[in-house]
Amino acid sequence: MKKSIFILLLWSFCLPLLAQKAIEIDSSFQRKEIIDLSDQTLFLLDSTKQKTINDIRKSQFQGFKKLPDFNHISRYKANVWLRFQLRNPSKTDTLKALFSAGSSFQTSIYVFDNQKLVSQASNDKLLPDQQRPFRFDGQYLPIIIPPKATYDFYVEITQFSLKKIRVQPTIVTYEWEAKKKESDLYDNRFAIGSNYALLGILLFLALFTFLQYLLNRQRYILYYSLYLFAMSAFVAWGFEHSSYGFFLLKYSSLLLISLRQNFYVLVTQLCYFLFIAEFLAYARTHSRIGKLSNLFLKGISFLIVLELLFTLILQRYDWEIYLSVFTQVFLSVFGALMLFYVYQIKTKLALYVKIGSTFLLLGGIFGFISSWMNWVPQSSDLLDHYPNVYFNACILLEILFFSMGLAYKATEVIHQKNDLEQAVSLSELNTLRLQINPHFLFNSLNSIKSYIIKNKTDEAADYLTDFSTLIRSILQKSKEQVVTLKEELDTILLYTKLEQLRFQKKFDFIFEISPEIDTENIMIPALLLQPYIENAIKHGLTNKKEKGTLQLIVRDLEENIEILIDDNGIGRNRAAELKSNSDGHQSMGLKINDERLKLLNKIHGWDISCQIMDKFDSKNQPVGTKVILTIPK
């Protein structure tokens, strides 16, 4: 009885092995180039995921046709083991071929000759080229069978492809794999090219905006840069799940395998909403949107924590699938609600965010629908994550409008800064102008005082009449920064006449102006010439023993006018020796005028230049000073 039971158990163990025929790989293989092993393959599901090869060899396998279908959840429930036999009937030729278990990431193969382990190898589509048993394609494993040998093969599939869940054991020739790869590359050329282009654009803009942040230190620029980096990682993650994709993520199992696509989606959305919250500053101006945004950001942060918990700590990828589905619903509902409230903000700056966010939302919706309805392929033999053309196109349009919004805001900031600087400059300019008027009045009143002291009442009366006319002219223009050339010349001529009277005809005054100059249509700064005239009279001519000459010449230079103030006084160096002051002889009026010219050029974009030159005779003795002012018409 015991003997019968033993024989029955032995028969039940060996029955699958006896039923499994060895597949002969004869010379026709080179013509066929590919052989499907499904009919002669057995399978076993290891729900513990911990059985060794010795445990597996003692287990009972089933027919391949009974292999259940795997969905996104059940693929994490068990490892799949395959068993088949291959025989090389040739007496002289060694069989060299490639084996594939179908669309899977990680595959291990064990080769036995009776009870002896001949070889074993593992492959991973995500491994770098140099680490693969077959470096040109991560899906294939090389197999070698000597002449007249029969080998038992055990294949362990520990990780399915993320999109295509299919087990299809085949062996192919090296030539077939090369032609298939060439065909796949051609068929997927648009997807590969567009994905690399999208990655390049995203990374370039991410680096560019990050450098902008380092220069400007604006938080919304930092958040936008982080958003672009996160979007780049999202695109790269899906693209790199291919034997032919290459990027930095491939060198980190944490970034490429452990962290799933949902993690990058959540991080991208977190950076995106941080960006628009800071960019539009609606927390300060629209409290309802600000509260909703804070709630939304907290929700995304909580989902990121759950995602990390399920993938990195618990490694429950089946739970992570449910979380991914919930994330899509959560982001769609709250994203649409946030977009609705953003549309309530009526500013030109918000317009760029509205359009860009609309494209982003449409890209997500059409991307999901197009994948669900199979309008675009979800995967191919080459790309496990096939790029979604609708989503990629909407992403490009979204970053286009966001970048336009950044440029518009940068222009706004520059205009505001310029307006502020101009207001400050105008304030300084008004202060300087108010300093000139008292300075001129002080000198004029001193002249009247000198006439009164010397009992020259008639001269004092004439002087006072001209002085009152001059004061009236100055007061009328007291609020104006610029006046016509005619008004400026009238004021200067009257001022020079008063100075001649004050210094008792100590100098002659010569005034010339080109007849073609339209003095009523040329604008110049008010009281621009007075400090130079004063400096020439007070420090150059009055200290000269003999009578001097002062010239004021106005010339036409086509695009500019040139005003020449020329005196034959004692020169600046000699005047400094006679009367030095804290600024090295230069008068207060000249210093104020220099500051005014700088500010006026800055505010109005003028190009008023001033040159002061010392004149010397043949013996290198000073013979006066020349001032040349060049003013645009």
Side-chain angles (χ1 to χ4, degrees):
M1 182 66 180
K2 292 182 179 180
K3 186 177 180 179
S4 300
I5 294 175
F6 174 75
I7 293 174
L8 182 61
L9 291 174
L10 181 63
W11 177 257
S12 64
F13 174 76
C14 297
L15 182 60
L17 179 61
L18 295 174
Q20 186 177 23
K21 297 180 181 180
I23 304 172
E24 288 194 357
I25 311 298
D26 54 21
S27 58
S28 64
F29 175 57
Q30 295 299 327
R31 296 193 307 272
K32 295 178 182 178
E33 294 187 328
I34 179 171
I35 297 178
D36 187 352
L37 305 177
S38 301
D39 292 339
Q40 300 298 326
T41 298
L42 303 176
F43 84 92
L44 171 68
L45 296 181
D46 174 19
S47 59
T48 67
K49 297 186 177 183
Q50 296 179 354
K51 288 185 178 182
T52 65
I53 181 62
N54 292 327
D55 297 331
I56 293 299
R57 294 188 70 208
K58 298 175 184 177
S59 302
Q60 185 175 357
F61 283 72
Q62 302 180 56
F64 186 78
K65 292 183 179 180
K66 295 182 180 181
L67 183 67
D69 294 331
F70 294 93
N71 56 33
H72 291 290
I73 304 299
S74 62
R75 65 184 176 182
Y76 298 110
K77 300 296 185 181
N79 290 345
V80 178
W81 284 87
L82 304 178
R83 177 177 176 170
F84 54 88
Q85 288 183 338
L86 296 179
R87 182 173 181 270
N88 180 10
S90 175
K91 297 179 180 179
T92 57
D93 298 332
T94 298
L95 173 65
K96 294 182 179 180
L98 295 171
F99 169 78
S100 171
S103 181
S104 61
F105 280 150
Q106 192 169 345
T107 306
S108 299
I109 190 168
Y110 302 86
V111 185
F112 287 88
D113 183 2
N114 293 324
Q115 300 300 317
K116 181 182 177 181
L117 180 64
V118 177
S119 65
Q120 67 181 68
S122 295
N123 204 0
D124 191 327
K125 291 175 69 174
L126 304 181
L127 286 175
D129 299 349
Q130 63 274 15
Q131 297 180 21
R132 300 174 187 160
F134 181 61
R135 61 174 300 190
F136 302 104
D137 196 326
Q139 183 175 336
Y140 292 94
L141 284 162
I143 58 175
I144 301 174
I145 305 178
K148 303 298 289 184
T150 300
Y151 283 169
D152 292 331
F153 291 84
Y154 291 85
V155 178
E156 181 185 22
I157 304 172
T158 56
Q159 194 177 71
F160 287 109
S161 170
L162 295 184
K163 287 289 179 129
K164 292 171 61 177
I165 305 173
R166 183 181 62 192
V167 180
Q168 186 177 0
T170 56
I171 61 170
V172 301
T173 63
Y174 283 82
E175 292 78 7
W176 183 92
E177 186 279 334
K179 290 188 290 185
K180 183 67 166 60
K181 179 169 58 181
E182 181 181 3
S183 175
D184 286 342
L185 287 172
Y186 180 81
D187 292 340
N188 293 275
R189 66 191 186 279
F190 174 76
I192 294 174
S194 62
N195 241 36
Y196 272 126
L198 178 61
L199 270 176
I201 293 171
L202 289 171
L203 285 175
F204 172 79
L205 290 176
L207 290 171
F208 178 78
T209 51
F210 184 72
L211 291 176
Q212 289 295 310
Y213 165 72
L214 294 179
L215 294 174
N216 300 324
R217 297 294 178 178
Q218 297 290 332
R219 277 193 298 180
Y220 69 88
I221 299 179
L222 174 62
Y223 291 147
Y224 187 61
S225 176
L226 294 177
Y227 165 68
L228 292 172
F229 276 121
M231 182 63 75
S232 302
F234 166 75
V235 174
W237 186 91
F239 193 46
E240 289 222 324
H241 284 78
S242 163
S243 298
Y244 307 107
F246 174 78
F247 208 62
L248 295 179
L249 293 183
K250 214 157 226 183
Y251 290 91
S252 171
S253 60
L254 171 67
L255 296 177
L256 192 57
I257 302 174
S258 298
L259 295 175
R260 298 305 172 104
Q261 191 177 43
N262 196 50
F263 170 79
Y264 295 100
V265 171
L266 287 168
V267 172
T268 300
Q269 291 299 303
L270 179 66
C271 296
Y272 164 75
F273 281 102
L274 284 173
F275 160 66
I276 64 170
E278 186 70 23
F279 187 65
L280 297 179
Y282 49 60
R284 296 189 294 269
T285 57
H286 299 76
S287 59
R288 179 178 297 179
I289 305 178
K291 291 177 181 179
L292 180 62
S293 176
N294 290 333
L295 180 63
F296 191 35
L297 291 173
K298 290 178 181 178
I300 294 178
S301 301
F302 178 70
L303 291 177
I304 291 175
V305 173
L306 286 181
E307 177 75 19
L308 295 176
L309 176 65
F310 292 166
T311 55
L312 298 185
I313 300 176
L314 301 178
Q315 295 186 353
R316 290 299 304 264
Y317 297 113
D318 50 340
W319 294 358
E320 193 271 343
I321 294 295
Y322 292 114
L323 183 63
S324 299
V325 175
F326 176 79
T327 297
Q328 292 181 1
V329 176
F330 175 79
L331 293 179
S332 298
V333 173
F334 272 84
L337 185 60
M338 281 296 302
L339 185 59
F340 170 77
Y341 281 111
V342 168
Y343 265 89
Q344 310 306 311
I345 303 176
K346 305 298 183 182
T347 64
K348 188 173 182 179
L349 188 62
L351 178 63
Y352 296 101
V353 175
K354 295 173 187 177
I355 299 176
S357 299
T358 301
F359 278 118
L360 180 62
L361 183 62
L362 291 177
I365 294 174
F366 279 104
F368 175 75
I369 294 176
S370 60
S371 296
W372 182 56
M373 299 294 292
N374 291 321
W375 295 344
V376 294
Q378 295 187 41
S379 60
S380 68
D381 291 334
L382 183 64
L383 301 173
D384 290 292
H385 287 261
Y386 203 88
N388 190 293
V389 292
Y390 299 101
F391 179 76
N392 285 2
C394 288
I395 287 297
L396 287 174
L397 290 171
E398 175 247 348
I399 62 175
L400 170 65
F401 281 97
F402 278 6
S403 298
M404 290 171 61
L406 284 176
Y408 177 79
K409 184 156 187 173
T411 304
E412 262 193 344
V413 170
I414 292 174
H415 285 328
Q416 291 173 359
K417 183 178 179 181
N418 289 342
D419 290 343
L420 182 60
E421 290 179 352
Q422 188 173 18
V424 173
S425 298
L426 284 171
S427 178
E428 294 176 356
L429 198 59
N430 286 329
T431 301
L432 292 174
R433 180 178 53 79
L434 293 175
Q435 291 176 7
I436 287 179
N437 292 345
H439 180 74
F440 169 70
L441 294 175
F442 176 78
N443 289 337
S444 299
L445 290 174
N446 276 341
S447 298
I448 297 173
K449 182 178 71 175
S450 66
Y451 281 118
I452 295 174
I453 291 174
K454 296 176 182 178
N455 291 320
K456 297 182 178 181
T457 54
D458 293 336
E459 290 87 344
D462 293 339
Y463 192 97
L464 191 58
T465 300
D466 291 335
F467 177 70
S468 63
T469 303
L470 181 61
I471 293 301
R472 188 186 310 112
S473 174
I474 292 175
L475 291 177
Q476 287 175 348
K477 305 299 180 183
S478 61
K479 294 184 180 181
E480 299 179 13
Q481 293 291 348
V482 294
V483 295
T484 64
L485 178 59
K486 181 179 185 304
E487 292 172 327
E488 177 71 3
L489 291 176
D490 290 343
T491 301
I492 289 303
L493 292 176
L494 186 55
Y495 169 76
T496 306
K497 176 183 176 182
L498 291 175
E499 291 294 87
Q500 280 184 299
L501 292 173
R502 174 187 172 194
F503 292 107
Q504 299 177 354
K505 303 293 184 178
K506 182 70 175 178
F507 62 92
D508 292 326
F509 177 61
I510 300 173
F511 172 65
E512 298 177 4
I513 182 171
S514 299
E516 64 271 18
I517 295 178
D518 185 2
T519 58
E520 293 187 355
N521 290 315
I522 296 176
M523 308 301 292
I524 69 170
L527 291 178
L528 174 65
L529 305 180
Q530 187 272 335
Y532 302 108
I533 297 290
E534 174 194 345
N535 201 58
I537 296 171
K538 183 176 180 181
H539 301 291
L541 297 172
T542 58
N543 290 320
K544 188 175 181 179
K545 294 181 179 180
E546 61 273 15
K547 192 174 186 179
T549 302
L550 173 65
Q551 297 183 73
L552 175 60
I553 302 173
V554 184
R555 299 171 180 166
D556 184 20
L557 300 181
E558 295 184 357
E559 295 183 358
N560 303 308
I561 61 170
E562 180 184 84
I563 300 177
L564 175 66
I565 301 172
D566 193 329
D567 70 80
N568 63 349
I570 62 175
R572 291 187 297 173
N573 292 335
R574 178 58 180 158
E577 293 176 4
L578 295 176
K579 183 179 180 180
S580 61
N581 50 37
S582 60
D583 60 3
H585 162 68
Q586 188 181 31
S587 72
M588 178 63 71
L590 286 182
K591 287 170 57 178
I592 294 173
N593 229 33
D594 288 344
E595 293 179 35
R596 286 181 70 216
L597 284 180
K598 292 178 182 178
L599 291 172
L600 286 166
N601 287 339
K602 179 180 178 181
I603 294 172
H604 299 290
W606 289 345
D607 188 20
I608 300 176
S609 63
C610 176
Q611 291 179 286
I612 301 178
M613 298 175 290
D614 295 309
K615 301 191 300 181
F616 299 93
D617 61 13
S618 58
K619 298 180 180 180
N620 203 31
Q621 295 297 315
V623 290
T625 306
K626 181 186 295 184
V627 177
I628 301 177
L629 286 163
T630 304
I631 304 173
K633 290 183 179 179

